[in-house]
């Protein structure tokens, strides 16, 4: 998806770009190659290991500025105040995070049940599972993992923790597999959806995405491009809905007073794009990747155009950067009507 991202961003030689999910810098290097001496590249990431890698790699490049933190705080970084020509968000967990057992993201390798993108902030998955009540666990599994067996799994977790603490990824994966219905062939590991859900909750991923999208829109210059790569349907629905909200007038209702004239602030660039066959062959994780690109219309940057709830959320990010203990209600409209937790 590298080539599609570069095409979508339309990098200008002297532009200013932000990579809000640096990871190990694959996309950042691509942007940097197209920037001239007057260009600038801003890098963000929650993960201290990613930031350390960025500092080692780009320490001598005056065009680069680095900030450790969530992209939810894009609009709070002074370096973005003069406006951006492009913003890239590559969502989800990076390959280095998945491949290191000690990070606790994957059940493929046994490790501590952590799952924090910033292991120095917030609450680990093990700590949350040790204190959360059964209903809260079930709600997280259903809402963020679309797990039909959410209540059954939550009940098993609460019962098991009274006997022994859940502190390892293999422990949790085996427990989840043990309570799944027998006889039906599973296309994916029985714990996949639950691990995804817990990770999203622990890291406030969807909350940060909504706030980060608004921050990106506020900081983009007219003509600036927003490129977002999603890896599961919950993320992609939020991105798709956000672009549509700012690109298309809402449907009218004859029973209500006529709304103010709609002024679009974004233009969708093409349809959703998926990884090319050669990319998925080289990296199977790319199979679920979806890229959406939009261009900012109008004039001006700043927080004035943000909705009040988003301004409040940015204030919360400023005050509680790195915390993951706050609930995030996701609108039910994001989820298929058929999804529900079974007993």
């Amino acid at each position: 998806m590298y080539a599609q991202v570069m095409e979508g961003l339309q990098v200008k030689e002297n532009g200013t770009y932000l990579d809000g999910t640096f990871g190990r810098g694959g996309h950042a290097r691509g942007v940097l190659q197209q920037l001239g001496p007057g260009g600038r590249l801003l890098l963000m990431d929650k993960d201290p290991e990613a930031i350390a890698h960025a500092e080692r790699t780009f320490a001598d490049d005056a065009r680069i500025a680095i900030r450790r933190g969530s992209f939810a705080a894009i609009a709070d970084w002074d370096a973005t105040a003069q406006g951006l020509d492009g913003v890239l968000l590559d969502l989800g967990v990076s390959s280095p995070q998945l491949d290191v057992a000690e990070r606790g993201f994957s059940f493929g390798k046994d490790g501590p049940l952590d799952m924090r993108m910033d292991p120095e902030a917030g609450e680990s998955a093990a700590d949350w599972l040790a204190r959360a009540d059964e209903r809260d666990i079930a709600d997280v599994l259903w809402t963020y993992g679309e797990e039909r067996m959410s209540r059954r799994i939550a009940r098993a977790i609460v019962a098991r923790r009274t006997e022994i603490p859940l502190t390892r990824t293999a422990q949790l994966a085996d427990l989840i597999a043990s309570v799944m219905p027998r006889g039906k062939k599973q296309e994916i590991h029985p714990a996949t959806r639950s691990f995804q859900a817990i990770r999203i909750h622990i890291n406030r991923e969807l909350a940060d995405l909504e706030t980060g999208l608004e921050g990106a829109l506020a900081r983009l210059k007219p003509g600036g491009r927003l490129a977002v790569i999603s890896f599961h349907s919950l993320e992609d629905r939020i991105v798709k809905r956000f672009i549509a909200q700012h690109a298309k007038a809402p449907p009218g209702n004859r029973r209500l007073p006529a709304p103010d004239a709609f002024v679009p602030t974004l233009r969708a660039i093409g349809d959703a794009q998926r990884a090319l066959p050669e990319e998925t062959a080289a990296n199977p994780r790319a199979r679920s990747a979806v890229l959406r690109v939009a261009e900012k219309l109008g004039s001006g940057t700043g927080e004035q155009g943000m909705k009040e709830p988003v301004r409040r959320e940015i204030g919360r990010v400023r005050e509680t950067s790195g915390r993951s203990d706050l609930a995030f209600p996701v609108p039910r409209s994001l989820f298929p009507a058929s999804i529900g937790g079974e007993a």
Side-chain angles (χ1 to χ4, degrees), residues 187-198:
E187 295 181 1
I188 60 174
H189 190 284
T192 300
R193 293 187 180 90
S194 295
F195 268 65
Q196 170 187 296
I198 295 168

Side-chain angles (χ1 to χ4, degrees), residues 184-308:
K184 185 178 179 181
K185 185 178 180 180
Q186 298 281 342
E187 295 181 1
I188 60 174
H189 190 284
T192 300
R193 293 187 180 90
S194 295
F195 268 65
Q196 170 187 296
I198 295 168
R199 188 204 81 216
I200 289 172
H201 172 74
I202 290 297
N203 293 289
R204 290 182 49 85
E205 292 178 38
L206 301 189
D208 281 5
L209 176 56
E210 290 212 329
T211 306
L213 289 171
E214 289 283 1
L217 177 59
R219 289 300 192 233
L220 279 170
K221 300 174 184 177
R225 293 287 183 92
L226 171 67
V228 186
I229 303 173
S230 305
F231 285 86
H232 59 76
S233 59
L234 301 184
E235 293 171 338
D236 185 52
R237 288 173 200 155
I238 289 174
V239 177
K240 180 180 179 180
R241 184 186 63 181
F242 176 83
I243 294 173
Q245 279 180 337
H246 293 279
K248 301 176 183 177
N253 188 330
R254 62 181 181 175
R255 298 179 181 177
L256 297 176
D260 295 336
F262 176 76
V263 178
T265 52
L266 282 177
R267 175 173 69 93
I269 305 298
D271 298 323
Q273 303 177 60
R274 295 193 173 272
L276 301 174
E278 54 268 31
E279 292 176 310
T280 58
N283 178 16
R285 291 172 183 162
R287 285 190 302 243
S288 57
V290 177
L291 170 67
R292 294 187 185 272
V293 179
E295 181 177 289
K296 184 171 180 179
L297 305 174
S299 61
T301 60
E303 296 182 15
Q304 293 84 357
M306 290 185 181
K307 299 174 184 177
E308 180 58 31

Side-chain angles (χ1 to χ4, degrees), residues 15 18 44 54 81 92 103 116 139 160 179 192 203 236 242 246 273 294 304 308 314 330 340-341:
L18 182 141
M44 299 184 77
R103 300 301 299 271
R116 289 173 293 176
D139 284 348
R160 179 65 60 86
V179 300
T192 300
N203 293 289
D236 185 52
F242 176 83
H246 293 279
Q273 303 177 60
Q304 293 84 357
E308 180 58 31
I314 287 176
V330 180

